[in-house]
Amino acid sequence: MNRLILALDVYEKERALRIARETKEFLWGIKVNWPLIIGAGLRIITELKQVTGLPIIADLKLADIPNTHRLIAKKVFEVGADYLITHGFVGKDSVKAVMELGETIIVVEMSHPGAKEFIQPVTDRLIELANELEPFGVIAPATRPERVRYIRKKLHKSIKILSPGVGAQGGKVGEVLKAGADYIIVGRSIYNAENPGDAAKNIWGEINANAKG
């Protein structure tokens, strides 16, 4: 089972498609964030699906009123995104506006140091929101495996944990898998590598070795 998600945070369309082709056999899916959408346009989601056949996650981290969420989600799902990431702190109504249109992933805690300031203090409330709404998954930080473990204990077992921060941010594959992550999200360590395919293969191998253990 593939558990690796590529965070494809580059600007250039052709570079993105080339990296996707080189890495696809080692991936579960590809996460597209604002840099690639701004650089290549929203239709890059469609093209990545055509090139790879993999699930595409639109990591827009929506944080707005329900109507705006609905307007954005409609277009994103129309071009082929399989999942859309939204913040939970904007409240149940805004999250539900996305969930009504497609599979949703809720941010319950982020991987950067600044997340400790305002998001981590309300993580429990965000976990409660996820348990009530039952999205496909939540985002939890590979940089703090103890937090992944904490979130996993409180989160419904049916809800997946997608964990960013492995590689350039310092997260370790073995630690975050042991803590309870279902999918590992890796960006710079793959797309900035001299050979992205080899980099993805190495991380894929590490994931499988730890998953067996």
Side-chain angles (χ1 to χ4, degrees), residues 106-126:
I106 299 173
V107 177
V108 298
E109 199 165 316
M110 294 175 72
S111 57
H112 65 301
K116 295 179 180 179
E117 296 177 44
F118 298 108
I119 296 181
Q120 187 171 312
V122 297
T123 292
D124 283 353
R125 297 283 301 276
L126 296 173

Side-chain angles (χ1 to χ4, degrees), residues 46-63:
T46 310
E47 294 186 61
L48 285 169
K49 281 189 69 69
Q50 291 171 344
V51 164
T52 67
L54 296 174
I56 306 296
I57 301 170
D59 183 8
L60 304 186
K61 291 189 181 69
L62 299 182

Side-chain angles (χ1 to χ4, degrees), residues 10-13 33-41:
V10 300
Y11 290 123
E12 305 87 359
K13 173 182 168 181
N33 206 324
W34 285 109
L36 184 53
I37 290 174
I38 290 169

Side-chain angles (χ1 to χ4, degrees), residues 151-166:
I151 292 164
R152 181 74 275 171
K153 287 180 179 178
K154 290 180 171 287
L155 193 68
H156 287 173
K157 291 181 179 179
S158 62
I159 302 173
K160 306 296 184 184
I161 291 180
L162 296 82
S163 201
V166 165

Side-chain angles (χ1 to χ4, degrees), residues 5-80:
I5 296 170
L6 170 61
L8 196 49
D9 296 334
V10 300
Y11 290 123
E12 305 87 359
K13 173 182 168 181
E14 291 307 319
R15 182 184 175 199
L17 294 173
R18 174 177 56 79
I19 293 170
R21 290 188 189 99
E22 292 175 2
T23 60
K24 63 181 181 179
E25 66 181 293
F26 307 110
L27 306 178
W28 176 84
I30 294 175
K31 184 171 74 71
V32 174
N33 206 324
W34 285 109
L36 184 53
I37 290 174
I38 290 169
L42 187 59
R43 290 281 172 182
I44 189 64
I45 291 173
T46 310
E47 294 186 61
L48 285 169
K49 281 189 69 69
Q50 291 171 344
V51 164
T52 67
L54 296 174
I56 306 296
I57 301 170
D59 183 8
L60 304 186
K61 291 189 181 69
L62 299 182
D64 218 309
I65 65 171
N67 187 60
T68 303
H69 276 204
R70 199 172 289 112
L71 291 170
I72 294 170
K74 181 175 183 292
K75 287 297 181 183
V76 171
F77 286 124
E78 278 180 0
V79 296

Side-chain angles (χ1 to χ4, degrees), residues 4 6 19 23 27 186-193 195-196 199-200 203:
L4 176 60
L6 170 61
I19 293 170
T23 60
L27 306 178
V186 182
R188 283 168 281 180
S189 295
I190 295 176
Y191 67 73
N192 280 337
N195 189 319
I203 297 169

